[in-house]
């Protein structure tokens, strides 16, 4: 079975995914009266499971909404001891190196994975484990916060496969990891 690790995330122009207070209200700073989903449903149809960092998991838990995912969620954490009872049939705590974690998830039959959370995405990128990134840029400078990217041990080349503009104001780029050339292969 073919494995694929994908990112679908919104950032500020200056590359932050949460503001200085950990807030994400700015994600909705462009009016979206018809609630268009900017490709989110199409994307989630292609994935089998999510892998997210502990901070993103706790942020989602803090929202006053029903659990938003229909696919299993694997949470990375070195500090969480267990998943709260009410999420136990949907959310699983995973530990170990990324290679070990991916092996466990693949063994359970999940191969097309949605990787979420800044620190988590950065740790996947450091090991060149991201195959696809769909990045939606909200036209705002936050000036600080949680960054999407950080330093890498080597350059990683991507090909831009699609670029779309939503609501006349929001740009979304689709990038596929290009492992063809010797540079960054
Ligand atoms: N703009 C968007 O579309 C978007 C999307 C998702 C999230 N967010 C926001 O971004 C912020 C979260 O980002 P974040 O950078 O803090 O990161 P995160 O990836 O959600 O969570 C980081 C935590 O995940 C655990 N972790 C990550 N990699 C690990 C690894 N390889 N092994 C073990 N544990 C690992 C660690 O938890 P422990 O400390 O427990 O070990 C780490 O502190 C939140 O405010 C969230 O709301 C925004």
């Amino acid at each position: 079975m073919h494995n694929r690790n994908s990112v679908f995330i919104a950032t500020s122009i200056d590359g932050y995914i949460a503001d200085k207070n950990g807030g994400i209200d700015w994600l909705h700073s462009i009016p979206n009266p018809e609630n268009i989903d900017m490709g989110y449903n199409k994307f989630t149809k292609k994935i089998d499971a999510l892998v997210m960092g502990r901070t993103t998991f706790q942020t989602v838990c803090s929202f006053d909404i029903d659990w938003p995912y229909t696919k299993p969620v694997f949470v990375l954490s070195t500090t969480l001891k267990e998943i709260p009872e009410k999420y136990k049939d949907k959310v699983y705590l995973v530990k170990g190196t990324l290679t070990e974690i991916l092996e466990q998830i693949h063994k359970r039959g999940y191969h097309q994975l949605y990787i979420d959370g800044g620190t988590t995405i950065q740790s996947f990128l450091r090991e060149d484990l991201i195959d696809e990134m769909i990045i939606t840029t909200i036209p705002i400078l936050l000036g600080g916060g949680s960054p999407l990217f950080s330093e890498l041990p080597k350059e990683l080349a991507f090909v831009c496969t699609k670029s779309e503009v939503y609501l006349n104001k929001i740009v979304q780029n689709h990038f596929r990891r290009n492992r063809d050339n010797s540079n960054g292969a």
Side-chain angles (χ1 to χ4, degrees):
M1 172 61 95
H2 179 62
N3 298 324
R4 189 179 58 221
N5 296 330
S6 306
V7 168
F8 186 105
I9 202 156
T11 78
S12 62
I13 299 172
D14 45 355
Y16 295 103
I17 59 165
D19 65 25
K20 289 177 185 172
N21 304 314
I24 50 171
D25 290 351
W26 54 275
L27 288 177
H28 308 289
S29 53
I30 302 294
N32 182 3
E34 285 166 33
N35 243 330
I36 60 159
D37 78 344
M38 302 187 209
Y40 182 75
N41 286 319
K42 187 174 171 203
F43 171 76
T44 54
K45 280 204 181 91
K46 293 191 311 182
I47 61 132
D48 303 326
L50 290 90
V51 179
M52 67 172 60
R54 191 252 312 156
T55 318
T56 299
F57 170 62
Q58 288 177 328
T59 306
V60 177
C61 293
S62 73
F63 295 150
D64 192 16
I65 54 166
D66 289 338
W67 184 244
Y69 306 110
T70 55
K71 313 276 168 92
V73 173
F74 294 91
V75 175
L76 298 180
S77 175
T78 55
T79 60
L80 266 187
K81 295 282 173 277
E82 57 177 27
I83 295 296
E85 196 64 42
K86 67 173 178 175
Y87 301 115
K88 273 196 171 154
D89 54 340
K90 312 174 182 75
V91 182
Y92 309 91
L93 196 56
V94 282
K95 288 183 197 293
T97 65
L98 292 187
T99 309
E100 288 163 353
I101 287 167
L102 286 172
E103 208 176 314
Q104 286 173 39
I105 298 175
H106 295 156
K107 267 195 192 144
R108 295 172 72 158
Y110 307 115
H111 298 271
Q112 314 284 311
L113 305 178
Y114 176 2
I115 314 299
D116 205 14
T119 308
T120 300
I121 293 167
Q122 291 163 23
S123 62
F124 272 73
L125 283 170
R126 273 197 295 277
E127 296 185 36
D128 194 7
L129 290 169
I130 295 293
D131 303 297
E132 174 191 43
M133 301 191 293
I134 299 168
I135 300 179
T136 306
T137 304
I138 308 297
I140 187 169
L141 288 169
L142 292 175
S146 308
L148 173 56
F149 297 118
S150 65
E151 208 168 293
L152 294 171
K154 62 171 188 176
E155 290 177 8
L156 302 177
F158 285 80
V159 179
C160 183
T161 55
K162 189 152 79 168
S163 195
E164 296 198 81
V165 180
Y166 289 109
L167 303 164
N168 252 336
K169 293 182 172 70
I170 294 174
V171 177
Q172 183 182 77
N173 290 307
H174 295 231
F175 298 104
R176 195 186 62 233
R177 174 77 175 105
N178 178 12
R179 295 189 172 88
D180 296 344
N181 53 17
S182 53
N183 168 34

